[in-house]
Amino acid sequence: MGTAIPIATKRSATGIVTGKLAMWWVLGSEIVIFGGLLSSYLMMRLMYDSWSDAASHTNTVAGAINTFILLTSSLFAVLAHNAAERGKGPLAAFYLLLTIGGGLNFLVVKAIEWTNEIKHGFTLTTNTFWSFYYTACGLHAMHVIAGMTAMGIVAVGALRGKHLPRVEYVGLYWHFVDIVWIFLFPLIYIAK
């Protein structure tokens, strides 16, 4: 007699694997959160000219470096998914670790950037722009940490050749984190 498959991994009524469907639900709720945040930012930015002055103090180079880091880490997530699809769990785990490394580099650059901004007097309480900046970037950084944590867990399973479909699910989450940054970067760093 074969091993029973847990109900949670069977296909749902939609024909989509339950794990993938659950990830899309998570991403949908995250879109609502970040969509509201970005919409409020745009409204405030259009209403108050002082936001342009405050935004001129953001570090565009650090933002660009972090954009490159996240895009590169997303490439590694795609390579991990490709390896998992071919049944190469250890290779998928390797690429997930490279993706996690990208997340760590992103956080290091963000920490250096924030340290410099705070040294120059731009804190959470400086004005509404900086409050938004730290809230949006901090929320995004928390999602980077959550993605890295999930990838670490999935990488352990992938290394053992187990639960390889989860590589795709954490990859979807990581791409979402990347896409959010693609919106944050021009809105906060470039549109001055």
Side-chain angles (χ1 to χ4, degrees):
M1 183 174 276
T3 306
I5 298 173
I7 292 173
T9 61
K10 291 183 179 178
R11 295 198 178 264
S12 66
T14 64
I16 301 171
V17 177
T18 305
K20 188 185 290 188
L21 185 63
M23 181 51 65
W24 282 111
W25 276 107
V26 168
L27 296 179
S29 66
E30 295 292 334
I31 288 168
V32 171
I33 292 167
F34 279 103
L37 193 62
L38 293 174
S39 296
S40 64
Y41 172 81
L42 284 171
M43 288 189 303
M44 296 294 284
R45 181 71 183 251
L46 293 171
M47 289 174 48
Y48 300 105
D49 292 333
S50 62
W51 277 45
S52 293
D53 296 333
S56 69
H57 297 286
T58 58
N59 187 336
T60 306
V61 172
I65 290 169
N66 267 344
T67 301
F68 176 77
I69 289 169
L70 280 183
L71 289 174
T72 303
S73 69
S74 277
L75 170 63
F76 292 137
V78 169
L79 293 173
H81 176 229
N82 182 272
E85 289 267 308
R86 293 181 290 135
K88 298 183 177 186
L91 183 59
F94 171 74
Y95 284 124
L96 287 176
L97 291 177
L98 289 177
T99 307
I100 292 168
L104 284 172
N105 284 320
F106 176 90
L107 294 172
V108 166
V109 171
K110 184 56 68 184
I112 292 167
E113 178 187 3
W114 281 11
T115 300
N116 288 329
E117 288 165 349
I118 291 168
K119 282 181 184 177
H120 287 97
F122 303 117
T123 66
L124 187 65
T125 59
T126 300
N127 60 35
T128 310
F129 170 82
W130 288 102
S131 293
F132 173 84
Y133 168 81
Y134 284 111
T135 300
C137 291
L139 183 61
H140 181 264
M142 289 190 326
H143 282 77
V144 168
I145 293 167
M148 290 166 46
T149 303
M151 273 189 230
I153 293 166
V154 171
V156 169
L159 188 60
R160 298 176 184 149
K162 295 182 179 182
H163 311 294
L164 292 179
R166 292 179 181 173
V167 173
E168 179 183 7
Y169 309 154
V170 295
L172 288 171
Y173 183 85
W174 195 255
H175 296 316
F176 169 77
V177 169
D178 195 6
I179 289 169
V180 168
W181 184 256
I182 294 300
F183 281 96
L184 285 174
F185 175 60
L187 287 173
I188 293 175
Y189 293 90
I190 296 175
K192 295 183 178 185

